[in-house]
Amino acid sequence: MSAPRAVLQKGALALALATAMGATAFAPAQAQDAPASAGVAIPYQEFTLPNGLRVIVHEDHKAPIVAVNIWYHVGSKDEPRGRTGFAHLFEHLMFNGSENHPGEYFDPFELVGATDMNGTTNTDRTNYFQNVPTTALDTALWMESDRMGHLLGAIDQATLDEQRGVVQNEKRQGENQPYGQVWTKLNQALYPAGHPYHHSVIGSMADLNAASLEDVKNWFRAWYGPNNAVLVLAGDIDVETAKKKVAKYFGDIPAGPDMAQPPVDVAVRPADTRETMHDNVPQARIYRAWNVAQTGSTDVDQLHVLAQVLGGSDTSRLEKRLVHGDKLVDGVSAGVSESQLGSNFLVTASVKEGVDPKKVEAIIDEELARLLKEGPTAEEVAQAKTVIRAGFIRGIERIGGFGGKADALAACEVYVGDPGCYRDTLATVAAVTPAQLQAVGTQWLGDGDHTLVVLPGERTALAEEPAVEPASLDLPAIDPKYSVSPSTVDRSTGVPMPEEFPELKFPELQRATLSNGTKVILAERHEVPVVQFQLLLDGGYKADALDGAKLGTSSFAMSMLDEGAADYSALEFAGAAESLGANLGADASLDGASASLSALKEKLDPSLALFADMLREPSFDPAEIDRIKASWIAGIKQEKARPNAAALRVLPPLLYGEGHAYAMPFSGSGTEKSIASLTRDDLVEYHDTWVRPENATLVVVGDTTLKQVMPLLEKHLGDWKGEGEPATTGEVAKVALPDAPRVFLIDQPGAVQANIFAGQLVPSTMSDDATEFEFANTVLGGQFSARLNMNLREDKHWAYGAYSFSPNALGQRPWLAFAPVQIDKTAEAMVEMKREVGEYASGKAPPTAEEVAKVRSNEIRSLPGAYETGRAVMGTIAGIVRYDRPDDYVFQHKAEIEGLTPAQVAKAAGTIEPDALTWVVVGDLDKIGAPVRALELGTVQVLDADGNPVASNAASTAEADAGTEADNSAAE
């Protein structure tokens, strides 16, 4: 329920835009945004309760939902010596019930249909958020106030031990990933011992293990009072309603002590430093970081713009030089990760195999030096501002969740003391000049950087810091200026639940047809001045299996559409898109492909012209093909290095059988061999066969009308014709389930977790009982309170999470249960998964009426909030097209859900056949091989990362005696 520091360390504006801009884990070039005069402000009102709780209200009535977002001004920076990880641990503890609501915090929210529900911790703050139907606002406020004012009595030793185990598995899960130890090393290098940012947010195992019950309770007393919190209510609400309800639920909670915030300490470093580490990674990666100005400062706002110019986009200087020019890296980025005491400016480069990282480092130095010596051009700065403005406009469509308007307002209040501080950032970005960017870069990006180079090799586990005598946590007296109101809430009656819920609303689908036969579906959405387009096409991954095509052809060909078109080179095309503030792209999926455009309404005509060029005249430049091939193959190697991705590459051929249309990596990326063999002719053939207007549907969602958009579509696409007769992929062959369970192991030496998958094939998304099976899956593993997660996470605390899912498909689709578990509990976890699945599917432990009612309630009551954004509406319309559903599908589906019975769900659960499961386990065979074989779940076979049988399965002396005979017979 939290993320690493690098993901979460955002300033107010960067936070609002992280999702919209597609920010990576290192927050490259988060956009800041448009000036307030551009009409993209976030209006708000604010008030403060006598107990110190600050409340901010933003009205947005486009959907009948309210975003409830509460920020506590406490993070890992506030942890005394010997108590690292407490802030993050407490985030988990506060999800585990309160005095008046024992049990899982998620249960009431699932019942009322909450969406975008989670909590996170970073160095500077802890937050909790959920979007709830308007009528369920009392439910949310009761829950948030109960854990603020009535938590201590619910924390006992068992609860502490449970959540401590969950957190430790979260730590293992993060560090088990390739490059997963990087931020721990960077924090330690960038900040001296004793600095609040020296240690990681998740803390050390030793400190977590040493935490006592009284330590934890004192931590709560210190930091989680109303006077250290900011509550944002955004959406279908007004300030008068907010004042009454917030006072009712929070007014009687006593203030806590006013805990001092540490002073700003950027920790400017006097000299450059560097280090090298080895990891089980497929390619070298360079991280270069500088400590720079704190969030809320003009300097950090300007540094975001400079980062955009340096390495924030396809047309940035580092991208042009290292990716397109010298072709030395597969990816490069630059960005700012903001924090309260000081931020980080970070350049990251994934070095091509066989390239000396020192050569890449030298070019990074050269390009940065040139930028600081000469300054950016006026054109570069103008383009960066356009990208930033467009990102902000897209970002503020959302009221809640990660990076929504509620987050932006809360961050401004917590870090700057002004909910509207984003306006200052917008103004700074709008007014910044090339000379100012040159000056701020020269000031901050000189001496004092730290370079970390990660090289392929055997991972050296990070040394755990030993437990130390914890520093005391001194609690100052509570300021008498705070007061409370008498309670008017009878909490003994439990959580208030609404008696009625908002009605489902879905925009009317308006239809038209272009003169070339392309069908057009429009859903009007006028909340933000953006229009989104998605052209739905046939083809997709399954076309790769036709006529001896090469795996990955569909994905590769579609990805090439925006790499140069018509008279534009790849860089010119990217520059044209950025200058318009447009986002263009194309990709493939299992049963089809799509091309998309997100355009600012004011730039709709030229954006559609660029979209048409992409569709009609992609260049397929041989030089660009070769460049992307190399990066694509590196991406495949990255997939193999990530445990979950590695499993999902080998599972489809195991489930469907070699030669089946779906028997390919779930990512659709193909194999190194197939991608290396692709030719320009292969890509042109795919384009000519599948990217054509006949049988295509163009979905349009946003701030336009048919009267406005149809003439533009006719202008740019109306005369587009395909050659010859359209192709078809035909029916997908049906596959019989295996006669017995099978177990496949993939070795990941040194892994501290095992990633367990168990799956089988189930009927198509279009099957008559698809809704019943959806329910059956949700009960078993489709939500937080489902059986698998409650068992392996909350009961056993062997995993950070355990779930199941079944992606859509026109043919038989895979159903998969998965759990990343601590390595020493691999066999035990498989036993529990087998038992849960077996008892559920066989009817021994069928879905209960209560479970079905909860899923039904969640499904129906979340619908009004499910279509808050244009992207969500577009996704549903795409499903209507792809799966031949009626235009009123969302209403028919709702009616179907309302009528489902436990018996129907139990019957659908029987679709899962425990004796036909295919197991794939990725982990260190020295540790898991023998225990897994001893389970005798089925024939055991070791595979390599490509899914090929390993000749000798005896991965270690420890398991050789137990497994050699079985290995040899299985290998045959």
Side-chain angles (χ1 to χ4, degrees):
M1 281 175 285
S2 64
R5 174 178 181 268
V7 177
L8 296 172
Q9 286 306 103
K10 315 292 186 190
L13 189 52
L15 183 67
L17 296 175
T19 302
M21 295 294 291
T24 70
F26 306 105
Q30 293 102 359
Q32 265 68 39
D33 237 305
S37 60
V40 291
I42 310 171
Y44 66 89
Q45 294 178 276
E46 58 183 321
F47 59 92
T48 302
L49 296 187
N51 61 8
L53 178 66
R54 291 161 287 169
V55 185
I56 304 165
V57 181
H58 164 69
E59 293 191 42
D60 180 342
H61 300 285
K62 68 175 177 288
I65 56 174
V66 180
V68 179
N69 194 329
I70 190 163
W71 282 41
Y72 293 93
H73 200 172
V74 57
S76 61
K77 75 179 189 319
D78 305 299
E79 296 161 350
R81 183 189 71 249
R83 287 187 168 89
T84 65
F86 267 41
H88 176 251
L89 174 62
F90 223 92
E91 175 212 318
H92 283 255
L93 287 168
M94 291 178 75
F95 268 116
N96 216 63
S98 55
E99 293 170 359
N100 300 296
H101 178 71
E104 291 300 328
Y105 179 85
F106 287 97
D107 286 342
F109 286 104
E110 289 177 346
L111 283 172
V112 300
T115 55
D116 268 342
M117 175 172 55
N118 211 324
T120 67
T121 307
N122 67 22
T123 53
D124 303 321
R125 62 97 185 99
T126 301
N127 73 344
Y128 300 92
F129 54 87
Q130 56 274 155
N131 291 357
V132 296
T134 304
T135 54
L137 179 58
D138 286 80
T139 305
L141 295 178
W142 190 100
M143 291 291 291
E144 290 290 1
S145 62
D146 209 64
R147 66 174 165 190
M148 177 189 283
H150 307 275
L151 187 77
L152 286 183
I155 300 176
D156 55 19
Q157 191 64 48
T159 302
L160 173 59
D161 292 343
E162 173 189 323
Q163 292 307 313
R164 176 163 42 202
V166 170
V167 168
Q168 289 174 335
N169 273 300
E170 182 181 358
K171 180 179 173 72
R172 293 185 186 101
Q173 184 167 311
E175 293 181 354
N176 201 49
Q177 303 303 312
Y179 314 100
Q181 301 180 138
V182 161
W183 268 97
T184 298
K185 296 287 283 185
L186 284 176
N187 288 339
Q188 292 171 352
L190 289 170
Y191 299 101
H195 190 284
Y197 292 163
H198 178 75
H199 66 273
S200 67
V201 172
I202 207 161
S204 78
M205 290 286 194
D207 287 354
L208 291 171
N209 284 329
S212 71
L213 193 58
E214 191 56 29
D215 288 335
V216 168
K217 291 189 175 185
N218 276 337
W219 179 260
F220 177 79
R221 295 182 183 106
W223 292 105
Y224 297 88
N227 50 312
N228 197 43
V230 171
L231 172 66
V232 179
L233 302 177
D236 189 24
I237 189 171
D238 58 77
V239 70
E240 291 307 317
T241 301
K243 285 181 177 179
K244 293 176 184 177
K245 290 185 179 292
V246 173
K248 174 181 178 180
Y249 290 106
F250 289 87
D252 66 321
I253 301 174
D258 286 326
M259 300 295 290
Q261 290 290 317
V264 169
D265 182 3
V266 174
V268 174
R269 309 171 75 249
D272 299 342
T273 55
R274 61 181 299 110
E275 63 182 318
T276 299
M277 65 184 296
H278 290 84
D279 198 356
N280 296 321
V281 296
Q283 65 190 128
R285 185 173 288 173
I286 299 164
Y287 300 84
R288 178 164 294 168
W290 291 259
N291 291 344
V292 298
Q294 73 279 9
T295 190
S297 65
T298 298
D299 282 5
V300 83
D301 293 339
Q302 293 178 345
L303 285 169
H304 276 295
V305 185
L306 188 68
Q308 178 74 17
V309 173
L310 178 63
S313 72
D314 289 340
T315 62
S316 65
R317 295 195 176 192
L318 291 177
E319 182 90 11
K320 286 179 179 178
R321 177 76 183 276
L322 287 168
V323 176
H324 291 269
D326 296 341
K327 298 180 174 64
L328 298 176
V329 305
D330 292 309
V332 64
S333 67
V336 180
S337 180
E338 290 190 33
S339 305
Q340 179 179 331
L341 309 184
S343 306
N344 303 125
F345 190 105
L346 184 72
V347 175
T348 307
S350 295
V351 182
K352 283 187 179 295
E353 190 174 359
V355 173
D356 186 349
K358 292 181 181 178
K359 188 173 183 179
V360 175
E361 287 188 62
I363 292 175
I364 292 172
D365 288 340
E366 182 182 325
E367 289 298 326
L368 178 60
R370 181 181 294 117
L371 178 60
L372 298 183
K373 180 180 179 181
E374 302 172 359
T377 66
E379 181 183 9
E380 286 176 316
V381 176
Q383 190 155 298
K385 290 179 182 181
T386 300
V387 171
I388 284 165
R389 176 176 181 271
F392 185 77
I393 291 173
R394 292 184 177 96
I396 63 171
E397 183 183 14
R398 302 173 63 244
I399 59 169
F402 288 113
K405 289 187 282 189
D407 257 355
L409 294 170
C412 274
E413 175 62 26
V414 166
Y415 296 140
V416 183
D418 173 14
C421 77
Y422 70 90
R423 291 179 298 224
D424 297 330
T425 299
L426 299 181
T428 297
V429 172
V432 72
T433 66
Q436 288 174 322
L437 293 182
Q438 182 181 10
V440 77
T442 301
Q443 177 184 350
W444 290 105
L445 304 182
D447 294 338
D449 68 76
H450 178 72
T451 299
L452 173 63
V453 181
V454 183
L455 298 174
E458 184 176 349
R459 168 180 280 192
T460 301
L462 294 178
E464 272 293 333
E465 296 185 10
V468 297
E469 184 66 26
S472 62
L473 184 62
D474 297 322
L475 303 185
I478 296 173
D479 195 314
K481 70 181 180 183
Y482 299 116
S483 62
V484 297
S485 305
S487 175
T488 60
V489 178
D490 181 4
R491 294 185 180 269
S492 66
T493 60
V495 185
M497 301 296 286
E499 296 181 358
E500 57 183 23
F501 291 85
E503 287 298 315
L504 167 62
K505 294 181 180 179
F506 193 79
E508 175 191 0
L509 302 190
Q510 304 171 55
R511 290 181 175 266
T513 304
L514 295 179
S515 56
N516 63 6
T518 299
K519 295 181 283 293
V520 177
I521 302 176
L522 169 67
E524 294 185 27
R525 301 272 299 196
H526 300 286
E527 289 78 19
V528 292
V530 174
V531 186
Q532 300 181 64
F533 301 82
Q534 186 176 26
L535 184 69
L536 301 174
L537 303 158
D538 291 333
Y541 303 167
K542 66 184 179 185
D544 294 349
L546 296 176
D547 302 323
K550 301 161 186 174
L551 295 184
T553 300
S554 56
S555 292
F556 195 97
M558 294 303 294
S559 76
M560 286 293 301
L561 295 191
D562 63 348
E563 296 289 346
D567 296 328
Y568 297 100
S569 68
L571 282 172
E572 289 168 344
F573 188 93
E578 290 178 17
S579 68
L580 294 168
N583 292 339
L584 297 97
D587 58 22
S589 58
L590 194 61
D591 290 305
S594 65
S596 61
L597 163 68
S598 175
L600 300 180
K601 184 176 182 179
E602 66 200 61
K603 302 289 187 181
L604 188 54
D605 189 9
S607 298
L608 278 171
L610 199 61
F611 186 52
D613 286 342
M614 182 183 86
L615 293 171
R616 302 176 66 164
E617 300 181 72
S619 302
F620 295 125
D621 183 337
E624 296 299 331
I625 292 172
D626 289 343
R627 173 181 67 83
I628 294 171
K629 265 190 190 182
S631 295
W632 195 281
I633 290 170
I636 291 173
K637 292 179 179 178
Q638 291 284 358
E639 286 182 13
K640 293 179 181 179
R642 297 193 299 269
N644 281 350
L648 294 174
R649 285 187 63 82
V650 305
L651 266 163
L654 297 175
L655 294 173
Y656 290 101
E658 294 292 342
H660 190 276
Y662 290 170
M664 62 194 69
F666 276 129
S667 64
S669 57
T671 66
E672 289 110 317
K673 182 179 179 181
S674 66
I675 296 301
S677 69
L678 280 177
T679 66
R680 184 179 190 278
D681 288 344
D682 293 328
L683 306 181
V684 170
E685 181 180 359
Y686 183 89
H687 174 266
D688 292 347
T689 303
W690 301 108
V691 184
R692 50 193 299 154
E694 305 91 346
N695 300 328
T697 298
L698 182 62
V699 180
V700 185
V701 178
D703 190 15
T704 191
T705 65
L706 277 181
K707 183 177 180 180
Q708 293 169 344
V709 79
M710 285 300 292
L712 294 175
L713 294 176
E714 282 289 349
K715 172 183 174 182
H716 296 295
L717 295 172
D719 63 344
W720 177 31
K721 303 288 184 183
E723 295 183 8
E725 290 297 317
T728 178
T729 54
E731 293 288 328
V732 177
K734 189 171 183 180
V735 178
L737 298 181
D739 296 329
R742 304 170 295 168
V743 180
F744 298 92
L745 306 178
I746 299 175
D747 193 15
Q748 186 191 13
V752 295
Q753 279 193 325
N755 290 58
I756 304 169
F757 285 79
Q760 71 162 72
L761 299 183
V762 297
S764 161
T765 298
M766 299 180 69
S767 64
D768 292 339
D769 64 348
T771 299
E772 288 88 335
F773 185 78
E774 171 192 327
F775 259 59
N777 174 71
T778 303
V779 170
L780 179 59
Q783 61 186 14
F784 183 88
S785 62
R787 295 185 182 187
L788 287 173
N789 197 53
M790 288 298 99
N791 183 336
L792 294 181
R793 173 184 163 122
E794 297 298 286
D795 182 21
K796 307 295 191 308
H797 43 85
W798 295 340
Y800 179 52
Y803 294 94
S804 62
F805 65 100
S806 187
N808 290 322
L810 291 174
Q812 286 168 291
R813 52 186 174 146
W815 172 82
L816 299 172
F818 72 98
V821 302
Q822 60 194 70
I823 198 78
D824 60 333
K825 296 297 183 182
T826 304
E828 293 93 329
M830 293 176 71
V831 169
E832 286 300 307
M833 291 176 71
K834 180 177 183 295
R835 181 185 63 77
E836 288 281 10
V837 173
E839 292 180 357
Y840 183 65
S842 68
K844 183 178 180 180
T848 65
E850 181 182 12
E851 287 174 317
V852 173
K854 183 173 68 172
V855 175
R856 182 192 300 114
S857 296
N858 180 261
E859 291 279 344
I860 293 173
R861 294 167 182 175
S862 65
L863 285 173
Y867 303 112
E868 178 198 1
T869 66
R871 182 181 294 273
V873 171
M874 178 167 282
T876 296
I877 299 173
I880 286 173
V881 174
R882 189 72 74 195
Y883 303 108
D884 196 24
R885 292 164 172 165
D887 281 4
D888 65 345
Y889 167 76
V890 294
F891 299 100
Q892 290 192 23
H893 186 58
K894 176 176 178 287
E896 185 180 16
I897 291 171
E898 289 172 334
L900 281 184
T901 66
Q904 290 174 302
V905 178
K907 182 179 179 182
T911 302
I912 302 169
E913 297 187 20
D915 291 334
L917 290 178
T918 296
W919 296 81
V920 172
V921 186
V922 183
D924 189 333
L925 291 194
D926 284 350
K927 299 175 182 175
I928 69 172
V932 170
R933 292 179 191 283
L935 297 178
E936 298 184 348
L937 289 180
T939 302
V940 178
Q941 171 69 65
V942 176
L943 304 176
D944 64 19
D946 291 309
N948 300 314
V950 175
S952 175
N953 294 341
S956 69
T957 303
E959 67 165 312
D961 293 341
T964 300
E965 184 176 344
D967 292 342
N968 291 336
S969 62
E972 295 172 359

